[in-house]
Structures are given as structure tokens and as C-alpha cells.
Amino acid sequence: MTINIGIIGFGFIGHIHEQSLADRNQMKVIAICDIDSEKMNDSITKNVIKTTSVDELLKIKTIDTVIVSVFNDAHKEVVIKAAIAGKNIICEKPAAMNVSEFDEMMAVVNEKKVKFTVHQQRRLDNDFRTAKKVYEKKELGNIYTVQSKLYGLNGNMHDWHIYKKHGGGMLYDWGVHLIDQMLYMIDSKIISIFADVRNVINEEVDDYFKILLEFENGIMGEIELGTYYLTDKPHWFERHWFIGGDKGSMYSDGFIPEGKVVKTSRLLENVPGKTVMTASGPTRSFGTVADGILMTEELPVTNYNYQMFYDNYVNTLQGTDDFLVKQSEVRRVLSVMQAVRESGLKKESIKFKNGL
Ligand SMILES: NC(=O)c1ccc[n+]([C@@H]2O[C@H](COP(=O)([O-])OP(=O)(O)OC[C@H]3O[C@@H](n4cnc5c(N)ncnc54)[C@H](O)[C@@H]3O)[C@@H](O)[C@H]2O)c1
């Protein structure tokens, strides 16, 4: 089986989809579309059909699946048109600007019985999968905190991402990935959400947020992102995970995770306080730890890659798998994002009586 693909929106990620599919046998890009014809000049696909009209691309009968990679505010219109044309759909994230838009889109998708998934490929990031693996091993005891943090150190936001009308801002950009990862990892309902959402330097859109997700199982999920954490370090981002439980912790830094699982032999008995001199003065609780008290283990190894997203797509169309990213999960993430915005505006927590 070869699935013929049309890419609608041939900008940054449209090009990445084309490159990622270039060497695959079962998925073949046959057409591309962008309202800006110049964007298509550097297509690497031989004999690809190029058009500036979404309707023209959708008329191509041999296209089975479209990848929708236009600006965020145009997803709804393009997805609905594609569903009416009977095309299966891989939509870029965030699938919609809000839950009601998403519901409108899914009403047509489901009525037309076309397949639909969202390119939340950061579920395949190895830093995330490492944290998820540690979480699932249940060796850290009762977990009380799961922290996921991403900081841009050079103050970069760009192009349409700084405009509200196109769905700009970091919550729609990376926020959707970070929330999706947290919900995919923690197997519990959310009972409350508190968020601080700010425009630190942007006029129209958010460029900083801290989100606290209180889960029914007692875990507080914490997500923080800032694009304006200026430093002159040689790298351009910081990515951190921390999981804390009553039997141990896990920390990792970077997208290729470097860190440890850390446990302690020190129990809450026979622990005489020892005063240690530190740069901030004498302390007992925050001093260095005596030898032999901390036990460290290497992080588990994971081996995911983004091709697995397309593997899963092919397998699902062949009926041997289910979509990695399901409609109900996408809707839940959008519901969380809506509550995050509401909490950010009201500066109060949003509670879910029956859990979200
Ligand atoms: N999954 C990921 O990791 C990831 C990464 C980057 C972007 N994205 C998503 O992909 C989408 C595109 O982002 P980008 O960074 O590639 O932006 P981009 O500006 O580089 O590309 C978008 C392209 O869509 C075209 N376009 C806009 N409206 C159109 C329409 N109605 N019909 C046809 N073409 C249209 C624009 O001319 C532009 O070339 C966004 O939804 C974004 O959130 C996802």
C-alpha cells in the first residue's frame, strides 16, 4: 500500500514533513500547496504538483491524506474542506484555536468518516520518554511533583507567532506539546488548574507561562516555559525534567537526557543534625551529604524517533494499530489550554468537580 500525500502549507514544518517522507515507501508526497508560491520553489520532490489553491489540491483524486500545516487560525477551514473532499488528515498542532472550533471540525471529520490525527510528535522525544519510563516503573514511591521546563535563552519569537490573529504565542506553540506530554504520562484526572500566563516582551501574545495541574492521584504537574530567559550560555535552550517521590527522584537535562535516578539510604530516624558551613552560612538541612547516603542509578535508555509517527500512521490505516494521538486526547489538551488561559486572566485556579 502507498499512501499518497498532499501537504497544505509549505512553510517550516511543511518542508520537514516533505524531507521526513522522502525515503519512505508507504507514504509518498505527490502535491504541495501554499498561498505563497515562492515557498514551494525549493521542494525536493520530483514531479510534485504545486498549487496555490487548497481547493485545487483537494480535487486531486489520487491524494489519500493531507497534512495540514498552515497557520493555526487556518486549521479549521482547511480541515473541514479536506474532510468534505474525503481526504484523511494529519493536522498540525494545535489542532484548533479552542475546543468549540475542534468540535466543529470533528463533527465533519466523523460525519465524512475520514481518519484524523494530530502531529504531536513530541510524544516521541527521548527526554520525555525517559521521564515517562521512570514514572511507569513506579520505583520513586508516592510521586508528589512532576516538573517539565523549557527556557529559550536568546529571546527569540518570530514571524506569525507574535500575532494573535494567526494563533501566535508560546501556549499554542510549545505549550500544546508540553501539556500533551504531561497528560500522556500522568494517568489521572485533573482536579484543578492554576496558571500564570504573561506577555513579557510581546504586545499581543504570551511568551511565558507557569502551569500547575493538580491531579486526582495527588501529583502536582508543573510546566514552565519562558522565551526570554536571557543568558550568554553557548547553547540556546534549557530543557529540564524533575520527578519527586517519597522513595527517590529523577532529574534530566536536555533533549538527549542527561541525569540520574537518585535514592537515599537516609530514613527519618537516627539522623543527627550536622552543621555544615556553606556560602550562605551554616546549615543542617541544605548542606552537603555524607558519603554513602545517596544512591544513584543511570536513567533508563529509550530509543524513539519521529519516523515512528509516520509508522503509526501507516499501521493505523492498514488496521494493525490505533493512532498514537487520538481525537479525545487532543480535545482534552485543548480543554486544559482553555482553562490555562482562563486561570491566567482571572488569576485564580479553575476547579473541575468531576475531573478533567
Ligand atoms: N509539530 C511541530 O513540532 C510543529 C513545529 C512547527 C510548526 N508546527 C505547526 O505547523 C503549522 C505551521 O507552522 P510553521 O512554523 O510551518 O509556519 P510557516 O509560516 O513556516 O508555514 C506556514 C505556511 O502556511 C502557508 N499558509 C497559510 N495559510 C494558508 C492557507 N490557507 N492555504 C495554504 N497555505 C497557507 C503560509 O504561506 C506558510 O508558508 C502551525 O500550526 C504550527 O503550530 C508544528
Side-chain angles (χ1 to χ4, degrees):
M1 174 176 95
T2 300
I3 301 167
N4 286 334
I5 306 282
I7 300 177
I8 304 177
F10 202 63
F12 168 75
I13 199 78
H15 280 76
I16 290 178
H17 282 295
E18 183 193 43
Q19 287 154 20
S20 307
L21 295 173
D23 296 325
R24 294 192 71 100
N25 292 327
Q26 290 170 300
M27 292 176 91
K28 188 173 181 317
V29 176
I30 64 164
I32 55 177
C33 165
D34 201 292
I35 41 172
D36 178 352
S37 65
E38 285 191 7
K39 293 281 178 78
M40 299 183 284
N41 287 346
D42 59 354
S43 162
I44 56 167
T45 308
K46 252 193 189 164
N47 303 323
V48 74
I49 302 166
K50 297 179 183 176
T51 172
T52 53
S53 156
V54 175
D55 296 324
E56 286 306 312
L57 182 136
L58 292 174
K59 278 186 200 155
I60 302 172
K61 291 218 167 60
T62 46
I63 291 180
D64 172 274
T65 296
V66 291
I67 296 177
V68 177
S69 46
V70 295
F71 307 143
N72 293 341
D73 61 319
H75 289 185
K76 177 179 142 186
E77 188 192 337
V78 176
V79 164
I80 288 177
K81 277 185 175 182
I84 290 170
K87 307 298 184 196
N88 295 317
I89 299 162
I90 298 173
C91 184
E92 265 306 338
K93 53 84 286 212
M97 302 280 280
N98 53 49
V99 177
S100 71
E101 247 194 41
F102 185 68
D103 288 346
E104 267 183 73
M105 292 154 70
M106 290 312 100
V108 184
V109 159
N110 294 329
E111 188 206 322
K112 296 293 172 190
K113 296 190 170 46
V114 295
K115 305 258 193 243
F116 178 90
T117 190
V118 177
H119 189 228
Q120 291 281 172
Q121 85 290 8
R122 293 206 170 273
R123 286 190 186 188
L124 301 167
D125 282 0
N126 281 303
D127 64 305
F128 163 63
R129 285 291 180 159
T130 301
K132 188 170 186 298
K133 204 164 175 180
V134 172
Y135 177 87
E136 285 168 356
K137 276 173 108 180
K138 297 188 190 301
E139 287 176 0
L140 303 183
N142 288 318
I143 291 172
Y144 57 93
T145 181
V146 176
Q147 300 171 17
S148 165
K149 310 211 164 161
L150 176 65
Y151 304 118
L153 309 181
N154 55 13
N156 254 357
M157 277 183 64
H158 54 90
D159 304 305
W160 57 270
H161 290 285
I162 62 170
Y163 301 114
K164 196 171 179 174
K165 79 172 179 137
H166 288 311
M170 274 293 139
L171 192 57
Y172 278 140
D173 192 11
W174 272 87
V176 59
H177 284 304
L178 302 183
I179 293 168
D180 182 63
Q181 289 178 337
M182 188 73 83
L183 302 198
Y184 191 53
M185 168 154 63
I186 299 179
D187 44 350
S188 177
K189 286 186 173 175
I190 295 166
I191 52 176
S192 81
I193 294 177
F194 179 80
D196 180 21
V197 183
R198 292 177 190 246
N199 306 3
V200 176
I201 59 164
N202 276 274
E203 281 170 28
E204 294 190 14
V205 298
D206 61 278
D207 46 23
Y208 170 87
F209 51 80
K210 185 192 275 280
I211 301 170
L212 295 177
L213 304 170
E214 184 186 6
F215 288 90
E216 208 169 47
N217 63 4
I219 294 175
M220 187 66 84
E222 184 179 333
I223 299 171
E224 186 173 51
L225 174 147
T227 53
Y228 205 64
Y229 271 53
L230 300 186
T231 74
D232 59 353
K233 293 181 183 171
H235 53 278
W236 50 272
F237 66 86
E238 285 193 3
R239 177 80 176 111
H240 306 293
W241 284 93
F242 181 82
I243 303 180
D246 60 7
K247 292 202 163 52
S249 309
M250 169 261 180
Y251 70 90
S252 91
D253 301 320
F255 285 104
I256 299 167
E258 287 182 21
K260 290 275 192 308
V261 171
V262 186
K263 295 175 184 166
T264 176
S265 62
R266 189 170 177 141
L267 303 172
L268 285 177
E269 49 196 39
N270 299 324
V271 278
K274 188 175 170 217
T275 303
V276 180
M277 188 55 89
T278 69
S280 61
T283 177
R284 284 169 298 173
S285 302
F286 294 97
T288 49
V289 181
D291 285 349
I293 285 184
L294 290 185
M295 298 166 298
T296 59
E297 296 167 15
E298 295 305 318
L299 292 175
V301 175
T302 64
N303 198 11
Y304 286 81
N305 64 68
Y306 294 156
Q307 283 295 333
M308 291 174 174
F309 180 86
Y310 305 108
D311 293 340
N312 169 259
Y313 189 78
V314 172
N315 293 341
T316 304
L317 259 58
Q318 285 178 335
T320 57
D321 204 348
D322 287 330
F323 279 139
L324 172 70
V325 183
K326 299 175 180 58
Q327 275 185 36
S328 57
E329 295 168 339
V330 173
R331 190 177 192 281
R332 185 171 176 232
V333 170
L334 288 171
S335 303
V336 168
M337 285 170 63
Q338 224 159 279
V340 163
R341 286 203 195 281
E342 188 186 339
S343 171
L345 279 175
K346 291 184 177 165
K347 301 204 178 300
E348 59 187 43
S349 73
I350 311 296
K351 301 202 183 324
F352 302 93
K353 248 199 210 153
N354 303 314
L356 172 65

